[in-house]
């Protein structure tokens, strides 16, 4: 028996399967999807079995044997193996990097270099090694230079050799537990507390964790007494790391659906019954009850003994969504997101793999949840760019979702109030079935939206970042004990520092961007590479002391609001939410202490649902409009609509104010009128003229290098290759400097390919990728190929 194995080396030259012999003792044991250790050159490395076969195309005499298997059950299903192949091809990437994205990080190999005694060695060598280690091997990393020097003669003589060993991260978390020994003549009638404890332990069919018993008020001494009496035994039992274990969720019964919700539910479930791999666009305004539809569809999936995957843009930003799922489905829900530790993620993953959880709620990578028998897949807020991974492999979760929907013949539901243009266009063409929810659920209505022209505001003498209208609105809410949410898409205190005498603005030495002033730690920071420097009181250029700060960030607005309204403000941005769990803490505090104002960057635009929020203000609706990206209008429309949706979701009605310098811009006007259809038509006209997606597909090539000449040379080469290889219906834009010309000392140039049909494209992209893989090693030039890019920076 031979196994085709993908090995754990992220290099283009080994992006293929290698054949290994399955040792006779392992036949039947090794299955497709197993992790195995295999010899590769002088080393032993981890690999994944992709297929098993009786024959091989290679010379059987020269084929090496698999050293050992790491799993009892395969970690990759056949489905995941096919997905890995498909994604690696589509996004021009390597199999191994996709496989490692699919699996929880805990299953990845961890290599360490050690020195250990060779098969034959001298006493001297053994003594020398014993000096620096307490066993027969030592990790090289842990040796100081002197120790290494002492050992080096033995390395040369061959008494000691260097080896790479693999360790796994997947230590299961164990804890002390006890179980009853089921003695027949237990009499504890004279020791009431002991009897009580014994009853608890005896009643449980599984070992009970000592920690839990202690939490319930039984002392360690008491537990030991039962142990000494021979009534119970102690064992190490495996513990699940459940991040939600200490939380109680009150149950939440299904609501009676309104007629639009019912229609959507019926369409989706009838496609489920027919076992169709159909994609639905659930286009519902904010608060129209999309989530309620998801919940009821999932209920039906579970009733039929199947499983469901629910994707959300980012869990940390939507704690309320997790709560709703936990309240409806309890322990059936596994939660997967980036905030979990490796161990926690691995535990949730195993819960799914072993069938102990049947619904997953999670961010992008949870689309790889190892479910069998999937009955429905839901992508909430489908327009969000976080669904596309920014690093390799640059996959889009919705692409994977479509694949899985076809694999399982189940419906895929894309939900949003503001569909991406691509998705809406497909629903127009009938590729997706569109389901509309046009009313807010229950008796609620959409908030009133108005626009304040900030240039007008300045002309009439108010230069503050808070307009008169907004100020009055906030005051009113404070008086009535209601709450306001304010969006400002700019963190830090001031945008930048400027010298009034020579105009000098301190820039990041590594990137092509001005530094942002952060008052709390009196520093200038680069938001791209993290560079930080102290603020200087005098200009670095002319030594003048007339340096000031311009532009307003969240940190400064927080101060302005405190002064203006003399009230508490909760601020949410990357600075205040860096620590784990801070999102939720700040939001809980905002809700429970009824803090009058929540100020935040984009991260507050999604998912929040608080009954007392009746006013939403957007301090600068234009920030997104000015991005150098053809999707700037679309992003603006989406953000404004999302954040508006936070107001008046319950009994109290809501109001929204957009402050802008472009009051007549259609993205802002139509967001105010809540007219998605008109926005879609206007934007499509622009995309057609400018020949952008969805009329064309895109591939973005970004070349970077510390040496600007190398960059130019490479972009010219790529440009020439494209000109030669693509049809004349395709358009090549560039080369031009990227909107961010330099990040982290790397110069960046880009080329955009726009095409409708290029059958040979994939092959060409792979060739380019391969070529530049080599160039990266030899010349420090890197090429990033982004297929279907969402961000053009
Ligand atoms: P969306 O996901 O579209 O923003 P939600 O599902 O969060 O909307 O619904 C908004 C609010 O309306 C929630 O508080 C939800 O509990 C409530 N709701 C949803 N559907 C119904 C219904 N059929 N009857 C009454 N209330 C509902
Ligand atoms: Zn100066
Ligand atoms: Zn920088």
């Amino acid at each position: 028996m031979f196994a085709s194995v993908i090995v754990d080396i992220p290099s283009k030259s080994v992006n293929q399967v290698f054949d290994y012999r399955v040792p006779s003792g392992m036949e039947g044991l090794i299955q497709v999807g197993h992790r195995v250790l295999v010899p590769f050159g002088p080393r032993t490395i981890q690999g994944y079995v992709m297929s098993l076969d009786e024959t091989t195309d290679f010379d059987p005499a020269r084929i090496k044997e698999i050293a050992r298997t790491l799993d009892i059950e395969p970690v990759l299903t056949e489905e995941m193996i096919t997905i890995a192949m498909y994604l690696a091809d589509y996004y021009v990437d390597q199999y191994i990097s996709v496989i490692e994205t699919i699996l929880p990080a805990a299953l990845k190999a961890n290599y360490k270099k050690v020195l250990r005694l060779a098969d034959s060695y001298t006493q001297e060598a053994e003594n020398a090694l014993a000096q620096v280690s307490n066993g027969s091997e030592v990790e090289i990393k842990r040796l100081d230079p002197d120790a290494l020097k002492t050992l080096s003669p033995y390395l040369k003589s061959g008494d000691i050799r260097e080896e790479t060993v693999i360790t796994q991260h997947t230590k299961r978390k164990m804890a002390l537990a006890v179980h009853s020994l089921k003695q027949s003549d237990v009499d504890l009638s004279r020791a009431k507390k002991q009897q009580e404890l014994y009853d608890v332990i005896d009643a449980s069919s599984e070992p009970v964790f000592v920690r839990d018993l202690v939490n319930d008020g039984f002392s360690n001494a008491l537990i030991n007494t039962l142990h000494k009496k021979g009534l119970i035994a102690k064992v190490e039992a495996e513990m699940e790391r459940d991040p939600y274990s200490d939380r109680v969720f009150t149950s939440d019964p299904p609501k009676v659906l309104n007629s639009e919700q019912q229609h959507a539910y019926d369409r989706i479930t009838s496609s489920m019954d027919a076992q169709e791999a159909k994609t639905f666009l659930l286009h519902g305004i904010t608060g129209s009850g999309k989530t309620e539809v998801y919940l009821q569809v999932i209920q039906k999936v579970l009733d039929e003994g199947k499983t469901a995957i629910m994707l959300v843009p980012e869990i940390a930003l939507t704690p309320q969504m997790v709560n709703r799922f936990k309240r409806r489905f309890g322990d059936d829900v596994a939660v997967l997101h980036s905030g979990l530790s490796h161990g926690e993620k691995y535990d949730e993953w195993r819960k799914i793999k072993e069938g102990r959880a049947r619904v997953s709620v999670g961010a992008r990578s949870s689309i790889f949840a190892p479910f069998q028998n999937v009955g429905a897949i839901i992508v909430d807020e489908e327009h969000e760019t976080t669904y596309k991974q920014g690093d390799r492999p640059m996959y889009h979760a919705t692409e994977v979702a479509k694949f899985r929907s076809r694999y399982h013949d189940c419906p895929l539901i894309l939900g949003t109030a503001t569909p991406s243009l691509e998705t809406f266009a497909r629903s127009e063409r009938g590729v997706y079935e569109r389901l509309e929810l046009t009313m807010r659920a229950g008796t609620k209505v959409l908030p009133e939206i108005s626009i304040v022209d900030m240039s007008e505001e300045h002309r009439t003498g108010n230069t503050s970042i808070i307009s008169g209208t907004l100020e009055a609105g906030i005051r009113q809410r404070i008086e009535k004990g209601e709450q306001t949410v304010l969006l400002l898409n700019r963190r830090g205190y001031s945008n930048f520092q400027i010298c009034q005498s020579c105009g000098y603005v301190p820039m990041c030495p590594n990137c092509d961007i001005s530094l942002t002033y952060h008052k709390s730690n009196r520093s200038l920071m680069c938001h791209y590479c993290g560079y930080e420097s102290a603020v200087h009181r005098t200009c670095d250029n002319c030594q003048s002391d007339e340096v000031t700060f311009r532009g307003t960030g969240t940190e400064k607005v927080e101060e302005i609001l405190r002064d203006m309204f003399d009230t508490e403000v909760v601020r949410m941005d990357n600075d205040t939410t860096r620590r784990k769990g801070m999102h939720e803490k700040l939001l809980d505090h905002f809700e429970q202490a009824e803090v009058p104002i929540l100020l935040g960057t984009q991260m507050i635009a999604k998912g929040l649902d608080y009954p007392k929020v009746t006013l939403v203000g957007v301090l600068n609706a234009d920030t997104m409009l000015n991005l150098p990206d053809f999707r700037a209008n679309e992003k603006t429309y989406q953000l404004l609509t999302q954040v508006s949706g936070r107001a008046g979701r319950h009994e109290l009605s809501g109001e929204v104010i957009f402050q802008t310098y472009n009051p007549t811009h259609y993205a802002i006007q139509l967001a105010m009128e809540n007219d998605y259809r008109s926005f879609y038509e206007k934007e499509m006209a622009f995309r057609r003229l400018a020949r952008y997606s969805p009329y064309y597909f895109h591939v973005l090539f970004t070349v970077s290098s510390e040496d600007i000449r190398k960059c130019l040379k490479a972009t010219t080469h790529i440009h020439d290759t494209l000109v030669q290889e693509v049809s004349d219906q395709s358009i090549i834009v560039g080369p031009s400097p990227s909107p961010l010309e330099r990040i982290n000392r790397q110069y960046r140039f880009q080329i955009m390919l726009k095409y409708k049909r290029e059958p040979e494209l994939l092959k060409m992209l792979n060739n380019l990728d391969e070529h530049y893989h080599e160039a990266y090693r030899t010349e420090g030039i890197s090429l990033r190929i982004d297929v279907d890019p969402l961000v053009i920076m």
Side-chain angles (χ1 to χ4, degrees), residues 255-258 261 285-292 324 441 444 609 649-650:
K255 300 193 166 52
V256 179
L257 298 180
N258 66 30
Q261 286 173 314
I285 61 170
T286 56
S288 58
K290 295 184 288 296
T291 309
E292 187 60 34
R324 279 174 80 178
K444 299 136 225 170
D609 186 358
R649 294 172 67 90
H650 295 260

Side-chain angles (χ1 to χ4, degrees), residues 508-513 515 525-531 742-745:
C508 174
N510 310 319
C511 310
D512 209 29
I513 197 120
L515 295 168
M525 277 174 61
C526 170
H527 286 183
Y528 286 91
C529 74
Y531 172 88
R742 207 158 71 101
I743 300 181
N744 253 328
R745 296 168 182 275

